[in-house]
Amino acid sequence: MFSSTRMTGNQCSLLYGPLEELQELAFIERPIRRSLKTAEEIDQLTVDEDLNDIERAVYLLSVGQEVQRVSVISNLPSLVRQNPAETFRRVVPKVREVLNVAGAEIQLAAAASFLTILQDDIILIHTHTFSILKTVLLHLNHRDSVVSNAWLETLLSAINALPKETIKQEVLNPLLYQSQLSHSLPARLASCRILGKVACKFDTHLVKKELLPLARSLCQDVELEVRACMCRQLESFARATGVDHTRIELLPELVELARDEESSVRLAAFDTIINLMEMINADDRLHVVVPMVMSACEVSSQADEAVVASLSFQFGKVCSGLAGSLLDEEKGRLLQRFKVLCIAGLQIEGNQTDLNEAMLIRCNCCYNLPAMIVFADPAHFLSELYPSFSSLCCDPQVRVRRSAAASFHQVVKLLGINAHLVHKELLALLQDEALEVLDALMNHLEETLEAVLSRGENLVLDNKFPEVLSALLQVEQKVGGSLRWRLHEKLLQHYSCLARLLPGEVLHQHFSPRIFTILTTNKVLPVQKEAARTFCTFLRYNRKHEQRQEMMERLIQELAQGRSYWNRLRFLDVCETASEIFSRKYFNKYFLIAALELVQDPVVNVRYKLCQLLPRFRSSLRLPADKQLLQQLNFCVQKILSREKDKDVVATIRKTVLELDKLDLAEPFHKRQERDLLDQKKEKEENLLLEMLECQQTEGKLNSEKHMERKRRDSKTSLSTIKSISVSSSGATLSSSGKEMRKAKLSRSRSLSSQPTKSKPTNSDRPVKVKDFSSMSGPGRSSMSLSKDEPLRTAHFSTTTQSTSSMPVLIHSNTTSLLERTSILDHRASSLDQRDHRASTLDHRICKMEHRNNMMEQITGTMDQRDLRTATIDKRDQRTSTLDQRDHRTSTLDQHSKTLERGCAIKDTQSRKLLMNRKSNSVQSGRD
């Protein structure tokens, strides 16, 4: 075969490996046997084709070989489904004849076939009771234990479907005979199991009268296997007879069996009592169960290993059932015993059997650890159970660490806010070298991370947070580098929950690049598809528009427009996943056009994959909104039909065209309606995420603006307070200052009239009057404006005084006019006082309005915090209404702010007018 090909040794080594490997393939040249059966054997196995199924089965059971009989008996349930009457009339009697002389293989096949017939309810059991029961009971005592157990399982399954009278006549009567000591051990063991099964079928009176005495006799059997088997069936008797009869009749029997000399019997009694814990009253728990459990805890593991192993498996159930009946001291002893079981076998060296038994005990402790946390109170976990839990998570045996990882999610759920206590153990399990441990941890990774990472934004500030991220990334790299691709797929599937647990910035920086690398480099198709799904999930729940745009651009550039056809195929896989995750609107906007552009791809596989996805793309379009996209899709189909040369692509596109034509007609209305409702829900979620993004941006701007506005309002409030104080003080002094001014003016006029040739007072007297006038004229807009205008006013009045002091004034002729002007000034001062009072009232109203606005802002801030805390994706509709209300409140606040600004503008205008009036009055008074 290889002689016709000539090549050098180096070429052979390069292409086919060493020459020795080629020589090993020499068996190909050996002659191959054309037939595995001789002509005589073929003639014996040949059956007439004209025979129907029933006749063929009867023929093969009569003269066929053993393999043919096994085939017929295994196919017996199908024959019963097709023609039950003929099967039971002709085939089943032949089966009974064959079973009398058949071997173990045929017996097992027959037992399995009858069991299938009984479990599937293929026939009416009342009609063919004799045919089934006689066959089962006949072979129940087969000499082969495997065969007898198979027929016993068939009988136990048949009891559930048999009527009571049939069970009583056909089963119980032979059972009373077989339970005697004269019969074999397998027969008595079968009687124990049948008694436990039929006890639930009859009423309490029949069980007490006929079945319970037989059960007691079997509990006193000389063989320990019979006593142990019957002891385990007493649980069925207890549930059939009730609580009172259990306390009077069965509990003493179980206590006696718990003191048996054989460990297997004691173990059976102990397990049965623990299983019946809910049926035992508090008094019996205190006086019977508690001493038995405490004595079992004190037993040395070397003295009774079976009881200790069973105790370790049921320790959590025992402690939970006895929690209300134990004293504090007894609780402490049970906890101490559990701690000892958690380190069983670690401090001593023994044979392999002892080590395996100790490892099983520690695995059982991992299983019962959540129940023990509830028993000890989660608040005392750190002092009571943390050392044992840490020891189990760092156990040298992989099987124990795997059991600890399997129950880790329940532990962190019970700890609640104290989940950080097991942070070290979580890192140890995540960094474990055994992939079995990681596999057990991955089964409930979402629940574990949800409990650990549920602290929200404060988690970013935690020092332990980077360690968890690093461990999660290392787990993915470790699993990705192994050959366990199913575990890698499971890991990526559970990593999608990080989209709602981690902050978007952390997710985008650390996990999204890694998932994209897996998508582009991993060669296992299920892993690639799961990576695509996880990446699309990260993309969907990312709330930052820039990051989403960056992720989409990377998908388009590196996959859809990539140089490798493999990447372009991966983009089509991403499109297939995205059509399930995103809404139609989002998918059509960002994915569909890039996918349709691959119609011109030079690689046939890409065009072939695109043709397969065209019906999915068409189902995402809705007219008339997507009319242009539909035209592009039709143009794509026409281009493939007109230019494609590959026969597989042509056949696929023709099939696709037929599917596209029938797409709207073939899909039922209710399915289309369900898909539309689901798409509307997805679109609402996406719009809500976008609105949340916009709200976050606007809230950031509003917060900055509100901060500046608060600063301005605080300063304005302080100024208005100063104004009110100054107004109150000016109002109090106004009346006294007016009288004093009148007296001063009169005295000055008299002095001037007595000395007509003397000039007016000097400049030193004039500022006092100016100050009095300034204080009498009322405050301005603010104290700051007063401080600024004061030097101007002083300079103005001083220059006026200097200009008028050099001029001689004849007061005698103008005394009457001065008095009239004084009264006019008094009237104007009173009017100014009224204006000042109105201004103070307006300031007071403005302060009230500002206080109300501050209260509204506080209420709005509280509502925003509640909205942000209680907002979840499951309540998106409520959040939409909340956002609408928030917009309404924002518009209301805007209206309030505009109103305040208008009021402030009016106030500023009034204050300016007032100031101008005061200045004009001061000028006029200076001139006077």
Side-chain angles (χ1 to χ4, degrees), residues 821-839:
R821 290 178 181 178
T822 302
S823 62
I824 293 171
L825 287 173
D826 293 338
H827 179 70
R828 290 179 179 177
S830 62
S831 63
L832 287 174
D833 293 339
Q834 293 179 358
R835 290 180 181 179
D836 293 336
H837 180 68
R838 291 175 184 175

Side-chain angles (χ1 to χ4, degrees), residues 546-584:
E546 296 81 6
Q547 295 178 358
R548 298 179 71 172
Q549 193 68 24
E550 180 184 350
M551 295 170 71
M552 278 304 307
E553 290 177 356
R554 192 174 183 185
L555 275 176
I556 300 299
Q557 292 177 2
E558 299 188 20
L559 291 184
Q561 300 175 0
R563 297 181 61 185
S564 174
Y565 85 97
W566 187 266
N567 290 339
R568 298 195 293 274
L569 284 175
R570 295 292 73 76
F571 178 75
L572 292 177
D573 291 335
V574 172
C575 291
E576 186 175 1
T577 305
S579 63
E580 300 174 359
I581 294 179
F582 294 97
S583 64
R584 297 192 189 103

Side-chain angles (χ1 to χ4, degrees), residues 723 778-783 785-786 793 836 839 843 911 914-915 918:
K723 287 179 183 179
R781 183 170 175 265
S782 63
S783 62
S785 62
L786 283 173
R793 292 179 182 179
D836 293 336
D843 291 337
S911 61
L914 183 61
L915 182 60
R918 288 176 181 175

Side-chain angles (χ1 to χ4, degrees), residues 722-876:
I722 296 172
K723 287 179 183 179
S724 61
I725 294 173
S726 62
V727 167
S728 61
S729 61
S730 62
T733 60
L734 186 60
S735 59
S736 61
S737 61
K739 294 179 180 179
E740 291 175 358
M741 281 186 63
R742 292 176 184 177
K743 291 181 180 180
K745 290 177 181 179
L746 289 173
S747 61
R748 284 165 54 199
S749 63
R750 289 173 183 175
S751 62
L752 289 172
S753 63
S754 62
Q755 297 178 357
T757 59
K758 194 177 288 187
S759 63
K760 287 189 176 181
T762 59
N763 295 338
S764 61
D765 295 331
R766 189 65 67 169
V768 176
K769 189 175 181 180
V770 172
K771 289 180 181 178
D772 293 338
F773 187 77
S774 64
S775 63
M776 185 174 59
S777 62
R781 183 170 175 265
S782 63
S783 62
M784 190 66 70
S785 62
L786 283 173
S787 62
K788 290 180 180 179
D789 295 336
E790 189 64 31
L792 297 175
R793 292 179 182 179
T794 306
H796 174 72
F797 287 132
S798 62
T799 55
T800 307
T801 305
Q802 290 176 1
S803 62
T804 57
S805 61
S806 60
M807 296 175 62
V809 181
L810 298 176
I811 302 298
H812 180 72
S813 61
N814 295 330
T815 302
T816 306
S817 62
L818 285 173
L819 292 174
E820 291 176 358
R821 290 178 181 178
T822 302
S823 62
I824 293 171
L825 287 173
D826 293 338
H827 179 70
R828 290 179 179 177
S830 62
S831 63
L832 287 174
D833 293 339
Q834 293 179 358
R835 290 180 181 179
D836 293 336
H837 180 68
R838 291 175 184 175
S840 64
T841 306
L842 182 61
D843 291 337
H844 185 65
R845 290 179 181 177
I846 291 173
C847 291
K848 285 185 177 181
M849 290 297 294
E850 288 174 352
H851 181 68
R852 290 178 182 176
N853 290 333
N854 292 331
M855 293 296 295
M856 288 296 294
E857 288 175 358
Q858 292 178 0
I859 294 171
T860 306
T862 305
M863 292 299 294
D864 293 342
Q865 291 177 359
R866 291 179 181 176
D867 292 337
L868 291 175
R869 289 175 184 172
T870 59
T872 54
I873 298 177
D874 297 331
K875 297 181 180 180
R876 296 177 177 91

Side-chain angles (χ1 to χ4, degrees), residues 49-111:
E49 296 180 356
D50 296 334
L51 298 177
N52 57 26
D53 295 337
I54 301 296
E55 294 175 349
R56 185 183 299 107
V58 173
Y59 175 78
L60 292 177
L61 289 173
S62 301
V63 298
Q65 296 184 3
E66 184 175 1
V67 63
Q68 292 175 320
R69 293 178 178 178
V70 171
S71 177
V72 171
I73 293 175
S74 300
N75 197 39
L76 189 62
S78 300
L79 294 176
V80 173
R81 291 188 186 95
Q82 295 175 4
N83 194 349
E86 288 296 319
T87 302
F88 278 95
R89 188 176 68 86
R90 300 181 59 184
V91 180
V92 174
K94 282 292 182 181
V95 172
R96 288 202 297 267
E97 293 178 4
V98 172
L99 290 177
N100 292 329
V101 294
E105 186 177 0
I106 295 179
Q107 293 279 351
L108 294 175

